[in-house]
Amino acid sequence: MRRVCLTLPTNRPCDETVAAVATEAAYGADRFGVEVHLLILDSSDPASRAAHRRTVAALDPAPGVVVHHLDEADQRTFLREVITRSGVAAPERVLDLMLPAGVSYGACTNRAFLIAEALGCASVHRRDSDSRYQQLAGQPVHPVHHELAALGRRAADVAGLVSRSRLDPACADRPVTVVGGSFIGEMSVDVEEIRRLDPEVYRELVGLSIPADCLPLWRNHLIEEAFRGAGTTPFTADRTTLTAVSPTQVDMCNIGFDRGVYSRVPLPPATDTIGSDYFLLHLVHDAKLPGVLHNRHIVNYHTGERRTDAGFLAYHLRLAKYFLASHHLNAVYARLAETGERLLDAEGRVRAPAVAGLIRESTRLDRAENAGRLDVLDRCYRTLGGRYATVADVLAGARERLLDEARQDMADFALLIDAWHPLIRAAADRPVPIPRSETP
């Protein structure tokens, strides 16, 4: 029986989301006859973890669904065994990149990839704790429907299942590697208040995420559309497109990857950096691997914690690191696009060493560009005043460290790519037991 991994990484209370994703797991198992491993990677505080365990224990048993609720101690035990088996150099460093002390959007998904490999899964499907499903006629709209229908299948065989095809016919024999949708609701990056306070400051800040050589007309469009997902229009009927999926059209809370890509290349393990988990979307697109774009968009919302002084500061520091990372990542994305299908070997598999080489190239970029970005951030945040001025003070005090980290994060990513194949092989060849959660 085909096995798949539906994963929910979380570092916050999300009882309702746990229950909702479990319902999606049951839907997938029932509708497609697969074994769904619901993997909850829990980095939340002890009280929240205990509440999550109670929620899991109260789930109704569902045929074909296996639940794994792993706290960080469980995850560390798994990682240590796999890393030891793999024989990679600098094992403690690799462990830090896989399970860092800080928040890492890429690292939590990398752990899901590795655990899915140990479970024998063919694909990974990710949801987030600050999102929920749309409803149609009183029933949840599950993205896993399209993910399970298409992932891993030859694109030509999927063409008859979708609403339309915009795929290059030359790619028809390649497998569908990514299936995704976007979100409706609040912006994925919480900057609406900045837009209200000062539209010009908003444009300057958001512009930092866009490549410098972007044409002015296109730049204005990208700024206007940034972080807005699919807008606010609710789901009424399925629309699906077989295509090379653009990274700007999907969200990482609504994504499914075939193991053919994540078993070759992981995500950047950078800590406290918004948007660092979108790398594989760019890689799949530029390597011309087929995907399916759908409109079963998830509803995004912002948690109350982000409105506290501590949450506000932490969030904007992560946003600042995103703008610094963009300098390096945009350079890599440009090289991925330039390399195109040469990113694949003769069997159509991603050439991981080639990707690592492009990452290492980016570490040689002049850091003067990022120094200038910090100047822009300082000016903009001080113009906004209030709590934003406090963010500016913290950024100023951490200036040199932030510049060093932006470069080091890319070097760490290249190191992890080098280690990834031995890690994947160690997880798959002699599977490590993964704790199962008991349900009634």
Side-chain angles (χ1 to χ4, degrees):
M1 179 182 287
R2 177 185 173 197
R3 294 180 179 180
V4 303
C5 176
L6 176 59
T7 189
L8 175 66
T10 183
N11 65 349
R12 57 169 67 95
C14 62
D15 299 345
E16 291 183 2
T17 307
V18 169
V21 175
T23 300
E24 184 175 27
Y27 172 91
D30 176 66
R31 181 63 65 94
F32 291 91
V34 298
E35 183 174 277
V36 180
H37 287 259
L38 173 56
L39 176 64
I40 303 163
L41 298 177
D42 200 337
S43 297
S44 61
D45 61 81
S48 298
R49 287 201 308 273
H52 296 159
R53 291 200 187 283
R54 290 192 295 271
T55 299
V56 168
L59 294 173
D60 292 330
V65 176
V66 182
V67 184
H68 311 270
H69 182 197
L70 278 61
D71 62 20
E72 287 202 350
D74 296 324
Q75 296 171 52
R76 185 172 287 105
T77 297
F78 166 80
L79 291 170
R80 280 196 182 281
E81 185 163 353
V82 170
I83 289 169
T84 299
R85 288 182 181 183
S86 72
V88 296
E92 289 301 316
R93 181 61 185 144
V94 172
L95 179 60
D96 287 342
L97 296 179
M98 289 296 297
L99 187 57
V103 172
S104 174
Y105 305 98
C108 69
T109 312
N110 287 339
R111 297 196 294 277
F113 291 156
L114 204 58
I115 293 169
E117 198 70 10
L119 292 168
C121 295
S123 55
V124 168
H125 313 252
R126 191 182 115 174
R127 307 294 179 254
D128 283 353
S129 55
D130 54 352
S131 57
R132 58 180 179 267
Y133 301 104
Q134 292 193 69
Q135 299 276 323
L136 181 67
Q139 296 298 315
V141 178
H142 292 308
V144 78
H145 179 94
H146 295 306
E147 294 166 357
L148 293 178
L151 279 173
R153 299 182 63 181
R154 197 170 67 105
D157 296 332
V158 173
L161 305 178
V162 296
S163 306
R164 60 183 178 178
S165 177
R166 292 182 172 176
L167 188 70
D168 182 342
C171 302
D173 286 332
R174 294 176 181 167
V176 172
T177 303
V178 63
V179 176
S182 190
F183 66 91
I184 63 171
E186 297 184 278
M187 296 176 74
S188 59
V189 174
D190 191 1
V191 289
E192 183 59 38
E193 183 182 63
I194 296 177
R195 185 186 181 97
R196 291 197 305 269
L197 289 172
D198 193 320
E200 288 307 311
V201 164
Y202 174 86
R203 292 181 60 80
E204 189 166 14
L205 283 176
V206 173
L208 293 175
S209 67
I210 297 170
D213 60 355
C214 185
L215 295 174
L217 184 62
W218 187 239
R219 169 178 287 272
N220 290 336
H221 171 75
L222 290 176
I223 290 174
E224 197 62 33
E225 296 299 317
F227 316 129
R228 296 195 172 277
T232 58
T233 304
F235 177 87
T236 56
D238 281 309
R239 295 190 304 277
T240 50
T241 305
L242 181 66
T243 185
V245 174
S246 168
T248 63
Q249 293 181 292
V250 295
D251 193 87
M252 282 296 291
C253 71
N254 191 356
I255 201 78
F257 287 108
D258 180 73
R259 71 170 298 275
V261 65
Y262 67 73
S263 66
R264 308 288 292 182
V265 176
L267 290 167
T271 58
D272 301 311
T273 306
I274 288 170
S276 56
D277 49 347
Y278 281 73
F279 184 85
L280 289 183
L281 293 171
H282 289 266
L283 176 58
V284 167
H285 177 270
D286 294 333
K288 301 188 185 305
L289 292 170
V292 170
L293 181 68
H294 65 79
N295 67 327
R296 293 194 174 202
H297 306 310
I298 282 176
V299 182
N300 183 64
Y301 64 91
H302 298 153
T303 61
E305 182 272 341
R306 199 175 293 173
R307 304 292 181 241
T308 67
D309 287 343
F312 180 88
L313 176 59
Y315 188 82
H316 282 277
L317 292 178
R318 293 170 192 165
L319 180 60
K321 288 196 67 175
Y322 162 68
F323 290 133
L324 298 181
S326 293
H327 172 46
H328 294 274
L329 288 172
N330 285 339
V332 175
Y333 296 155
R335 293 285 283 118
L336 290 175
E338 178 185 312
T339 307
E341 291 175 286
R342 287 178 288 130
L343 291 164
L344 305 177
D345 64 18
E347 285 72 44
R349 300 171 303 190
V350 173
R351 296 191 298 118
V355 177
L358 299 182
I359 299 295
R360 287 194 169 92
E361 280 183 18
S362 78
T363 66
R364 296 191 287 272
L365 292 173
D366 187 348
R367 78 178 204 163
E369 167 67 23
N370 266 349
R373 287 169 177 246
L374 283 175
D375 291 340
V376 171
L377 289 167
D378 186 85
R379 183 179 69 255
C380 287
Y381 278 119
R382 294 192 190 284
T383 298
L384 294 169
R387 293 196 297 182
Y388 293 97
T390 301
V391 175
D393 289 340
V394 174
L395 291 175
R399 183 181 180 90
E400 292 304 311
R401 174 178 62 80
L402 291 170
L403 291 173
D404 290 341
E405 284 181 359
R407 177 175 292 168
Q408 185 60 47
D409 285 343
M410 300 305 288
D412 288 341
F413 184 24
L415 185 155
L416 187 60
I417 294 174
D418 292 342
W420 194 243
H421 178 65
L423 292 173
I424 287 288
R425 187 180 58 221
D429 287 353
R430 290 192 297 158
V432 179
I434 309 297
R436 295 188 178 200
S437 300
E438 298 297 328
T439 56

